[in-house]
Amino acid sequence: MDMIQEATHVARAEAARALARAGSAGGEFLTFRLGAEEYGIDILKVQEIRSYEQPTRIANAPSFIKGVVNLRGVIVPIVDLRLKLGCTTVEYNSFTVVIVLNVRGRVVGAVVDSVSDVLALPHDSIKPAPEMNASVDTSFITGIGSESDRKLILKDIEALMSSADMGLIEPEFAH
Amino acid sequence: MGEMKSEVSSSGAGIDLSQFYQVFFEEAGENLDRMEQQLLEIDIGSADDEELNAIFRCAHSIKGGAATFGFSDVAELTHQMETLLDKLRRHELAPTAEMVDVLLLAGDALKAQLARHQGAGGDELDTSALLVSIRALVAGKAAPVVAKPVAATHIAKPVEAAPAPSGPRELELQVGPLEDISQAESLLDLFKEITDLGVIEPLDGGQSADGMRRFKVTTNSSDNDLLDLFTFHVSREQVKLMPLGPGYGFHPDAPGAPEQTADEVGYGFFDNAPGAPSPDEHVSVLAAPVPSETTAVATTARAAKAEKGPAALESSTLRVSVEKVDQLINLVGELVITQAMLAQNSRAVDPALYQQLVAGLADLERNTRDLQESVMSIRMIPMSIVFNRFPRMLRDLATKLGKKVELVTQGEATELDKGLVEKITDPLTHLIRNSCDHGIELPADRVAKGKPEHGTITLVASHQGGSIMIEVRDDGRGLSRPKLLQKARERGLSAPDSMTDSEVWGLIFEPGFSTADQVTDVSGRGVGMDVVKRNITEMGGTVEIDSAEGYGMRVSVRLPLTLAIMDGMSIGVGEEVYILPLSSVVESFQVGDNMIKTIGGQHRVVEVRDEYMPVVELERVFDVPRFDWEHSCAIMVVVEAENGRVALMVDELLGQQQVVVKNLEANYRKVDDVSGATIMGDGRVALILDVNSLVRRSRH
């Protein structure tokens, strides 16, 4: 009897510990809209949120790189995530927002349709990313989070921005 | 740094000395650099008193600091060096090339020790062999360790001063001038009181002549001990110990007088005198000189130094961290932007109504410009900082390779931005090593060719327009065109005979290229020159080679002078604004369509006076969208880069202003034909055009 009691006690302690660990692995996410979908990215990578202003065009850049803007004296490239991720409608209006990110020591701006809020998602509310067909850009999706009835596509924004085909970083520097 | 604590614990004052370490390390570093430089410059045949004193002081300062902080290994080594240097400055020993070598090695050992104490780690340096050498030199014997293989031994004949033998020495003690000459007697008494000190007897028969007394001292003790003793009664300057020479040599022309080299006549002491070096040349002879040339070279070197004398006074400086200076430069940059914005927005202001406002803004512009110039100059440091490391490096290298090389530097006062200085040092080092290794021939070969035995490597720095030019020239064997072409073909590169000479010389920048027959550990492996070119290009500079086989080679490096703020001309293409560096703009004019001709069906040229210049249509280069389909490019701007001129076709000239150059690559990547970006008065970004690459584009 004693052995069983002790084993149960140990098992319960382990479970509690695992739960506590997992709870802190959820993270806080900034949620934003691209077309009909809602996305979430690690809040720690977000520097600020600005309204969209017409950037200075850079010749011969991919179409999703709109150009560069002046952010308090720093030249920041602006990437339109809607174009990169293949959204159908792309508008630039008063609701259009730029999320200024700080990834791998670089400051980059990402254009999105609108920004919602910051959510703390516990680990157990995040499900692994499903396998989808190639028509949707599924790279860098770390999981699907759910909060009330919202489904959030969680993306690794750092990896996305540093990837070679994003064209922000010269190939020899991309790691 | 475990041993630190045990050594520092002796400072019972309870002050935490570690806060002063950094200052000590920096100052010790400077002292070591200065000492090394002076050791390299020293003339073995006729060393200047002031030079020897200066070297002594360097060692002395380091010793003092090291002892205070408990770095006993450093203190010990410097103490020994100090002993040797003290003898040298007191002319008790004559300098030899060997001593200079040992002192240079000791300097290296000190650097390593200090680095270790700063936390670089590593084992404790074994300086015992070095210490033995120094002690041997102090005692007047040859050092047991031969530091370097001296390939061509032409050691200048040392001035024969009697080295101190180990037995009882006979010295001459000179006391005075004294106001009360009887004080000299008390020295006599003092000396006699101490047993075993030796024997002292008057040389001047007990009478003083011209206020001086002279005694003969026979003793086993060291000079230092004697002097310590005598300074009980008289001050240090009034006591002099000399070896007992044939004559007393008190007066300049008396027999036995120390050589008064400064008075030698007719060796270019003054600017226009025969044998004078040209004012801005600074010659340091490295490998040991041929004896017959010694005196002439020695005095010309001294003359050059004498001219530099007043400038060599200790300038008062302030040690400031680089971050603070950079922060200051950034803030001034932002100020320039704000001022430009104010200027632009106030253009519409009626000057009659707002007279004071307009006047104030004009003042602001002037003040901002002055402030900016001053601040930019803070980061500028003279090229001498870069050049200073080369004499030592070249000396070691030349000795190792058995060659004789002289280094001549010009334009050391040319100033360069600190950031560039750090980046230019490695490429320059490589170029010099290359010249020494592959360019300069062995002495015997040079003589056979009728060249002087000494090869010369010349380093020249100068300002040219908005750039700084650095040249590395040598009078060695130069590049061989046939060899280069052959090597290129072997490596599968396209090398037609129709290549111009400069294109052929440019081949050595290809990776892996080397026509060296042997790979030494210095160079020859072919990984150097392409890295040099890449480094320089990354700095926004260019590098070119010129050579004449049998005569020598010249490598010219051109770097932009200031990176941060420049004068720009803003031009409009379509709806977009671009900036051209004003220093590259030659002229601009209006064109009609009929002035543009086509060559070969594709290349467009425009006639400018008597010259046909290629046309670059910026609209096409930057794919500028056009909203009205009238071809409105009506203006040509002629720009010049070092590789040629082109005419840029633009819509309009917008204006001229100072722009703060912002780095595009910090957050983005390198864009073709664009060298950077700037922020205009309205807060928008404008791209700054890279004129060099636009010119290059027109050539292909």
Side-chain angles (χ1 to χ4, degrees):
Chain A
M1 271 312 258
D2 289 323
M3 254 170 49
I4 298 175
Q5 268 185 346
E6 193 166 299
T8 326
H9 177 74
V10 170
R12 218 172 277 146
E14 271 302 326
R17 225 173 292 137
L19 198 65
R21 247 199 321 260
S24 59
E28 287 190 290
F29 296 89
L30 174 72
T31 62
F32 58 90
R33 274 195 175 282
L34 287 180
E37 293 156 350
E38 244 194 312
Y39 289 82
I41 56 175
D42 183 3
I43 188 70
L44 293 175
K45 302 280 185 277
V46 176
Q47 182 176 295
E48 63 190 270
I49 297 170
R50 286 165 68 92
S51 55
Y52 178 80
E53 64 180 271
Q54 175 76 11
T56 301
R57 194 186 63 90
I58 295 205
N60 306 318
S63 60
F64 49 84
I65 296 186
K66 307 298 295 174
V68 289
V69 293
N70 162 28
L71 183 69
R72 292 187 302 279
V74 178
I75 309 285
V76 175
I78 301 291
V79 173
D80 196 329
L81 275 185
R82 302 164 306 177
L83 292 172
K84 180 76 174 73
L85 299 181
C87 297
T88 44
T89 52
V90 176
E91 281 180 1
Y92 297 94
N93 54 33
S94 50
F95 299 111
T96 311
V97 163
V98 174
I99 301 177
V100 180
L101 302 155
N102 198 321
V103 291
R104 299 247 174 96
R106 289 164 181 255
V107 182
V108 180
V111 184
V112 301
D113 282 326
S114 61
V115 169
S116 311
D117 49 4
V118 179
L119 291 177
L121 291 176
H123 188 71
D124 52 4
S125 69
I126 301 176
K127 296 180 185 45
E131 298 293 320
M132 291 204 272
N133 60 11
S135 63
V136 180
D137 187 343
T138 56
S139 48
F140 312 111
I141 295 182
T142 58
I144 307 286
S146 41
E147 154 84 7
S148 42
D149 54 353
R150 289 157 75 186
K151 289 279 175 277
L152 302 153
I153 306 168
L154 303 176
K155 279 229 171 214
D156 181 352
I157 196 69
E158 181 164 42
L160 173 65
M161 286 302 181
S162 327
S163 72
D165 60 330
M166 189 57 103
L168 287 173
I169 304 178
E170 306 238 15
E172 59 248 29
F173 297 129
H175 25 260
Chain B
M1 298 262 274
E3 89 267 28
M4 276 301 84
K5 297 204 184 74
S6 55
E7 289 162 82
V8 174
S9 61
S10 55
S11 72
I15 305 169
D16 177 20
L17 288 174
S18 53
Q19 56 183 305
F20 302 116
Y21 283 170
Q22 192 51 36
V23 178
F24 164 66
F25 285 130
E26 280 174 13
E27 287 181 354
E30 282 175 12
N31 271 322
L32 277 175
D33 285 339
R34 210 178 308 142
M35 186 165 78
E36 177 180 276
Q37 193 181 338
Q38 285 164 339
L39 278 170
L40 287 170
E41 286 173 9
I42 204 175
D43 245 303
I44 298 195
S46 47
D48 191 34
D49 271 1
E50 191 40 52
E51 278 173 13
L52 292 169
N53 268 318
I55 302 177
F56 172 84
R57 280 195 295 270
C58 289
H60 187 71
S61 310
I62 301 175
K63 181 181 95 168
T68 310
F69 293 106
F71 302 139
S72 52
D73 52 348
V74 176
E76 193 188 346
L77 184 51
T78 32
H79 177 70
Q80 292 298 329
M81 290 168 74
E82 203 186 59
T83 314
L84 176 58
L85 289 164
D86 196 34
K87 291 209 170 212
L88 284 173
R89 73 175 181 157
R90 302 241 217 107
H91 301 288
E92 289 163 23
L93 281 177
T96 64
E98 199 178 19
M99 287 184 191
V100 172
D101 282 336
V102 169
L103 285 170
L104 283 173
L105 283 179
D108 289 341
L110 282 175
K111 269 191 201 135
Q113 283 174 334
L114 286 171
R116 215 182 123 252
H117 286 301
Q118 267 187 289
D123 298 325
E124 176 129 10
L125 220 64
D126 178 17
T127 49
S128 46
L130 206 50
L131 290 169
V132 166
S133 304
I134 300 180
R135 275 192 215 112
L137 286 172
V138 167
K141 305 193 196 77
V145 174
V146 176
K148 288 193 196 298
V150 182
T153 38
H154 285 275
I155 305 202
K157 239 158 61 84
V159 171
E160 278 302 325
S166 35
R169 305 180 295 149
E170 286 187 323
L171 298 169
E172 186 174 317
L173 171 66
Q174 185 184 324
V175 184
L178 292 167
E179 285 184 337
D180 180 6
I181 200 61
S182 57
Q183 278 179 316
E185 288 296 330
S186 42
L187 282 187
L188 208 58
D189 297 330
L190 183 58
F191 190 100
K192 288 176 181 166
E193 268 175 49
I194 300 179
T195 46
D196 293 335
L197 197 54
V199 178
I200 187 168
E201 27 186 87
L203 275 173
D204 48 7
Q207 303 293 334
S208 81
D210 56 63
M212 312 276 275
R213 289 294 308 275
R214 292 162 192 90
F215 305 92
K216 174 174 158 192
V217 177
T218 314
T219 179
N220 275 327
S221 305
S222 74
D223 288 6
N224 277 342
D225 292 343
L226 291 174
L227 290 166
D228 282 347
L229 182 67
F230 294 144
T231 45
F232 265 115
H233 288 289
V234 296
S235 56
R236 174 74 187 82
E237 298 85 56
Q238 294 170 324
V239 185
K240 193 161 176 179
L241 276 173
M242 297 175 301
L244 202 58
Y248 301 139
F250 299 133
H251 306 290
D253 300 319
E259 221 179 294
Q260 301 264 347
T261 47
D263 287 347
E264 270 172 24
V265 200
Y267 286 104
F269 210 68
F270 301 101
D271 262 356
N272 299 321
S278 59
D280 52 359
E281 266 200 355
H282 175 92
V283 178
S284 22
V285 179
L286 293 157
V290 177
S292 56
E293 289 175 24
T294 306
T295 348
V297 173
T299 40
T300 48
R302 175 142 323 100
K305 262 172 252 164
E307 283 159 23
K308 281 170 42 174
L313 287 174
E314 288 291 324
S315 56
S316 71
T317 55
L318 202 58
R319 210 189 287 279
V320 178
S321 84
V322 177
E323 284 110 30
K324 287 191 186 172
V325 175
D326 281 341
Q327 167 77 330
L328 191 59
I329 291 184
N330 280 343
L331 291 173
V332 171
E334 297 303 320
L335 187 64
V336 166
I337 293 176
T338 309
Q339 181 264 318
M341 187 162 36
L342 282 177
Q344 182 166 338
N345 290 332
S346 63
R347 245 172 252 168
V349 164
D350 182 357
L353 279 178
Y354 295 99
Q355 218 173 16
Q356 290 205 314
L357 178 62
V358 171
L361 285 170
D363 278 344
L364 178 64
E365 177 160 350
R366 211 175 25 251
N367 288 336
T368 312
R369 189 178 294 266
D370 288 343
L371 176 63
Q372 173 203 313
E373 272 175 28
S374 295
V375 166
M376 291 312 296
S377 74
I378 293 180
R379 268 182 63 109
M380 304 288 271
I381 53 184
M383 282 298 292
S384 52
I385 304 280
V386 179
F387 288 171
N388 277 347
R389 64 182 59 218
F390 293 137
R392 175 70 198 276
M393 178 203 96
L394 195 54
R395 178 191 209 268
D396 292 346
L397 187 58
T399 320
K400 183 178 187 172
L401 296 169
K403 298 185 182 174
K404 294 183 171 187
V405 190
E406 254 180 47
L407 183 69
V408 175
T409 53
Q410 284 177 13
E412 302 104 318
T414 311
E415 288 192 331
L416 187 62
D417 183 83
K418 180 173 181 1
L420 286 182
V421 162
E422 283 148 18
K423 292 187 194 167
I424 198 63
T425 310
D426 276 345
L428 276 185
T429 309
H430 188 87
L431 289 173
I432 293 177
R433 293 179 86 134
N434 236 30
S435 277
C436 185
D437 196 5
H438 297 307
I440 308 280
E441 311 95 327
L442 288 167
D445 295 337
R446 288 182 68 89
V447 169
K449 287 189 197 174
K451 290 183 176 179
E453 206 179 20
H454 271 103
T456 308
I457 295 183
T458 313
L459 279 180
V460 182
S462 59
H463 284 304
Q464 272 190 25
S467 315
I468 183 166
M469 283 283 296
I470 305 173
E471 275 184 13
V472 180
R473 292 201 290 258
D474 69 64
D475 62 353
R477 59 171 73 96
L479 293 174
S480 153
R481 186 191 161 104
K483 249 186 166 183
L484 282 172
L485 282 173
Q486 185 193 354
K487 194 80 178 196
R489 288 169 190 153
E490 276 171 28
R491 300 198 70 240
L493 296 166
S494 136
D497 280 329
S498 57
M499 281 175 93
T500 63
D501 277 352
S502 50
E503 286 169 338
V504 176
W505 311 141
L507 284 171
I508 70 176
F509 289 126
E510 294 294 322
F513 209 95
S514 171
T515 56
D517 297 318
Q518 288 166 308
V519 172
T520 68
D521 66 354
V522 173
S523 47
R525 233 168 259 122
V527 289
M529 290 305 268
D530 63 322
V531 175
V532 167
K533 178 156 187 180
R534 198 177 336 135
N535 285 354
I536 292 177
T537 321
E538 270 171 11
M539 281 187 265
T542 55
V543 57
E544 266 181 20
I545 302 187
D546 200 6
S547 168
E549 188 164 5
Y551 288 102
M553 185 168 107
R554 179 180 69 201
V555 183
S556 312
V557 176
R558 180 187 284 259
L559 295 172
L561 200 47
T562 47
L563 304 177
I565 299 185
M566 66 169 214
D567 286 314
M569 174 188 259
S570 42
I571 53 174
V573 183
E575 302 280 320
E576 301 183 354
V577 176
Y578 292 91
I579 308 282
L580 281 174
L582 198 59
S583 56
S584 60
V585 175
V586 177
E587 59 182 300
S588 62
F589 52 89
Q590 277 191 307
V591 277
D593 276 337
N594 53 347
M595 289 169 66
I596 304 176
K597 315 274 183 246
T598 320
I599 290 188
Q602 324 170 15
H603 303 291
R604 305 177 72 181
V605 294
V606 68
E607 185 177 358
V608 182
R609 288 182 288 280
D610 301 321
E611 208 186 324
Y612 275 102
M613 212 173 285
V615 170
V616 172
E617 292 171 50
L618 286 183
E619 175 189 16
R620 209 164 285 176
V621 171
F622 292 107
D623 213 9
V624 180
R626 279 223 173 269
F627 300 108
D628 56 67
W629 290 101
E630 279 183 31
H631 194 75
S632 52
C633 277
I635 301 193
M636 288 287 186
V637 180
V638 178
V639 291
E640 180 173 54
E642 53 160 77
N643 41 347
R645 289 185 180 192
V646 286
L648 303 175
M649 209 153 87
V650 306
D651 285 357
E652 51 178 328
L653 301 180
L654 294 173
Q656 193 174 315
Q657 65 263 74
Q658 280 210 310
V659 295
V660 179
V661 179
K662 296 279 184 186
N663 193 339
L664 203 52
E665 289 154 67
N667 291 324
Y668 188 48
R669 58 189 290 172
K670 170 105 186 62
V671 177
D672 289 336
D673 303 314
V674 168
S675 68
T678 185
I679 296 168
M680 306 285 288
D682 58 2
R684 290 169 49 80
V685 177
L687 298 178
I688 301 176
L689 301 182
D690 179 353
V691 179
N692 277 335
S693 101
L694 284 172
V695 171
R696 231 175 294 140
R697 177 186 270 271
S698 75
R699 303 253 160 121
H700 296 298

